Amino acid sequence: MKEKVFIVSLGCAKNQVDSEKLAGAMTSKGFGFAENFETADVILVNTCAFIEPAVKESIDVILHLEELKGLGKVKKIGVLGCLLNRYGDDLKREFPTVDIWARSEEWEHVLSCLGVNDTSFSPCLRGFIPETTTWSRYLKITEGCNNCCSYCTIPSIRGQLRSRPIDEILEEAENLVLQGAKEICLVGQDLTAYGMDWDGSSHLVELLDLLEKHVPDGMWIRPLYLHPMRVNEKFLERIASYKNVLRYLDIPIQHVDDEILSCMNRNVTESDLRRIFSYARKIDPDFALRTTIIVGFPGEDNFKFKKVLRFLEDMEIDRVGAFLYSPEEGTKAAGIKKQVSDEVKRKRLDILMELQADISLSRQERFLGRKLKVIVEERNYEDCVLGRSFREAPEVDGVIAIKGVKDVPCGGFLNVRINAVTEHDMEAEVVVDEG
């Protein structure tokens, strides 16, 4: 009987996909999975090393696993993924009791270390880890990145862009539907770069066209992480034309000031950003627009920071993920002399998030009294469930609390009317579909 395994997946949704693929491979080879650390023979941690806090979290987990092994509570421990990609042999020297080391996607090596002779498995096979839901799944379409933003470690950790074949993606989407998926979130470091490693052109629209035809009617397809330099009017019109692809755009801009954008190597200008976001609003004022901002990038002064605030107000951005700039070892930005103090960064972050709370609340208020289709995520109380509409991506956005609901399974859809809102969440009641 093979050992029971527990997989800890840290970091982003792309890592979660990797962990699910490892779980699928292990399931196909007869491994069972433990429900927690205490009942596992083998614990594997799929690490993240994108920024310093992620590195610290990964190291803390490894230290805990070493402690469990030292106490005899687990037989083997393994460290996989980005942390090893970034630090290599230096990491191995720091943790000599680790039994299994594997870089990202070296799942055959993990199987071999666990005594499996035939390590082959389907690249479309997906298993379940503790974070996995059956109804909302991530589907990774690319690996690596060629954009080389000056602050980013991804190209050095994950390598150059590698796009998955279209047929393989469609097959995996079919498998996810068979496993119960009602929502598929497409992920990659930059979806708009899909296929550019083949012939220099983006094939994202081609892929979306095929997925639109391939999945059942009523299925949600949510594209995430779109670099703005390849988002244009034609692309926005295409998104608005689909039935299954949601009108939700996650377009990380990182900043607005042209000088900062140039130092970041983002290949866009403030004018470009205003054009595409304004056009999305023109096509559909209800488009859910999400972005990411880096606060305190080297050279950012008050004038440049205030440009960001004006942009968020003018474009009426629904949701923002804002982060303090972190000078990561090995990046070009870490060598820029005009670094911003931590105190100033924190003050600016507070100002930005306070403003964004008001903007988000205003956007939420647009939906008071209106109907939305919601996917049920979890039961909160006996007669209350939590769900999400097209406006809320899993894990990063708010939720909709629906009261007076019983016997509705997670992953089911409801039509609701919005009764109350905050800057992040909503309250609603079920309404009968009027056809």
Side-chain angles (χ1 to χ4, degrees):
M1 187 173 181
K2 287 189 169 64
E3 298 154 310
K4 278 197 170 184
V5 180
F6 188 85
I7 299 176
V8 183
S9 190
L10 304 178
C12 65
K14 298 182 287 293
N15 253 20
Q16 182 174 327
V17 172
D18 287 347
S19 297
E20 289 177 10
K21 289 202 170 186
L22 175 59
M26 298 187 79
T27 299
S28 72
K29 302 303 179 183
F31 287 90
F33 286 85
E35 295 184 358
N36 49 50
F37 279 23
E38 288 73 20
T39 56
D41 301 305
V42 179
I43 301 178
L44 306 173
V45 54
N46 191 11
T47 59
C48 179
F50 179 47
I51 56 177
E52 184 179 345
V55 171
K56 184 180 184 303
E57 181 186 23
S58 294
I59 289 175
D60 287 344
V61 172
I62 298 170
L63 290 170
H64 181 55
L65 296 187
E66 284 195 318
E67 182 181 356
L68 291 177
K69 186 182 178 185
L71 294 171
K73 295 183 177 181
V74 61
K75 296 177 182 177
K76 296 177 183 178
I77 58 177
V79 176
L80 326 173
C82 291
L83 198 68
L84 181 61
N85 289 18
R86 185 169 183 180
Y87 295 108
D89 291 339
D90 290 341
L91 188 69
K92 294 181 180 181
R93 285 190 286 269
E94 290 292 325
F95 299 100
T97 65
V98 171
D99 302 284
I100 301 167
W101 293 98
R103 293 176 177 270
S104 300
E105 300 184 300
E106 288 185 343
W107 312 138
E108 293 90 347
H109 178 65
V110 176
L111 293 173
S112 178
C113 290
L114 291 171
V116 176
N117 293 322
D118 178 11
T119 61
S120 60
F121 65 94
S122 167
C124 298
L125 194 62
R126 295 275 287 276
F128 292 89
I129 59 173
E131 292 90 344
T132 304
T133 64
T134 58
W135 57 89
S136 181
R137 305 295 295 274
Y138 294 104
L139 175 52
K140 185 166 66 171
I141 66 172
T142 66
E143 183 55 271
C145 185
N146 291 353
N147 292 334
C148 296
C149 300
S150 66
Y151 52 81
C152 184
T153 58
I154 290 297
S156 62
I157 294 174
R158 287 285 196 166
Q160 294 295 291
L161 174 69
R162 304 181 302 284
S163 301
R164 297 180 62 198
I166 287 179
D167 289 348
E168 188 177 291
I169 293 171
L170 295 177
E171 181 184 347
E172 187 166 326
E174 282 184 352
N175 289 341
L176 294 179
V177 171
L178 290 174
Q179 289 182 347
K182 303 292 181 61
E183 175 186 41
I184 293 178
C185 300
L186 303 182
V187 294
Q189 195 61 30
D190 169 18
L191 297 191
T192 68
Y194 177 72
M196 292 191 69
D197 49 322
W198 304 337
D199 57 13
S201 299
S202 174
H203 289 258
L204 178 59
V205 169
E206 178 186 353
L207 176 63
L208 291 175
D209 287 348
L210 290 168
L211 282 169
E212 172 89 353
K213 298 173 183 176
H214 217 71
V215 302
D217 287 343
M219 184 91 179
W220 283 2
I221 301 172
R222 189 185 298 272
L224 299 175
Y225 322 134
L226 304 163
H227 194 298
M229 70 174 162
R230 282 180 288 271
V231 175
N232 55 30
E233 290 87 346
K234 186 176 180 181
F235 176 80
L236 294 170
E237 290 170 358
R238 194 66 171 215
I239 292 291
S241 73
Y242 292 121
K243 293 186 301 181
N244 293 327
V245 179
L246 301 178
R247 294 190 179 191
Y248 178 100
L249 297 172
D250 187 342
I251 307 175
I253 63 172
Q254 311 304 357
H255 213 277
V256 171
D257 179 75
D258 286 351
E259 184 178 346
I260 296 290
L261 290 169
S262 178
C263 287
M264 288 179 166
N265 196 34
R266 293 292 288 170
N267 295 304
V268 291
T269 65
E270 179 179 1
S271 177
D272 296 329
L273 298 174
R274 285 183 173 274
R275 187 185 73 254
I276 60 175
F277 279 86
S278 295
Y279 197 72
R281 283 276 171 259
K282 180 180 178 182
I283 292 174
D284 182 357
D286 288 341
F287 244 125
L289 302 179
R290 180 181 178 86
T291 195
T292 305
I293 302 291
I294 295 176
V295 176
F297 188 83
E300 181 190 77
D301 56 24
N302 282 329
F303 178 74
K304 293 172 181 176
F305 172 65
K306 287 179 181 177
K307 283 187 177 182
V308 176
L309 303 182
R310 284 197 299 273
F311 181 88
L312 299 179
E313 284 186 297
D314 292 347
M315 299 298 106
E316 299 180 288
I317 305 300
D318 291 86
R319 292 185 172 92
V320 172
F323 306 92
L324 299 179
Y325 168 73
S326 173
E328 295 299 317
E329 180 184 357
T331 62
K332 289 184 178 180
I336 299 175
K337 292 182 179 180
K338 297 179 182 178
Q339 297 288 328
V340 179
S341 72
D342 289 343
E343 181 182 3
V344 170
K345 289 179 194 175
R346 286 191 290 270
K347 286 181 179 178
R348 289 178 183 169
L349 180 64
D350 290 342
I351 292 169
L352 188 151
M353 295 312 294
E354 184 176 349
L355 171 66
Q356 183 56 44
D358 292 337
I359 299 170
S360 293
L361 179 59
S362 177
R363 291 293 300 168
Q364 295 272 83
E365 288 172 343
R366 288 179 56 85
F367 294 87
L368 281 170
R370 293 171 59 180
K371 290 197 302 182
L372 288 173
K373 183 179 179 181
V374 169
I375 189 168
V376 176
E377 284 276 80
E378 63 176 283
R379 183 165 294 283
N380 194 22
Y381 301 105
E382 184 178 346
D383 64 342
C384 178
V385 297
L386 302 180
R388 294 179 293 104
S389 71
F390 79 96
R391 303 184 69 249
E392 296 90 22
E395 302 180 73
V396 296
D397 296 325
V399 295
I400 301 175
I402 309 156
K403 297 182 179 179
V405 177
K406 293 182 179 180
D407 303 322
V408 176
C410 289
F413 287 106
L414 292 173
N415 290 312
V416 306
R417 179 174 286 108
I418 305 302
N419 295 328
V421 300
T422 67
E423 62 266 33
H424 300 300
D425 304 319
M426 296 178 167
E427 291 184 5
E429 62 182 359
V430 175
V431 295
V432 177
D433 187 2
E434 299 170 356

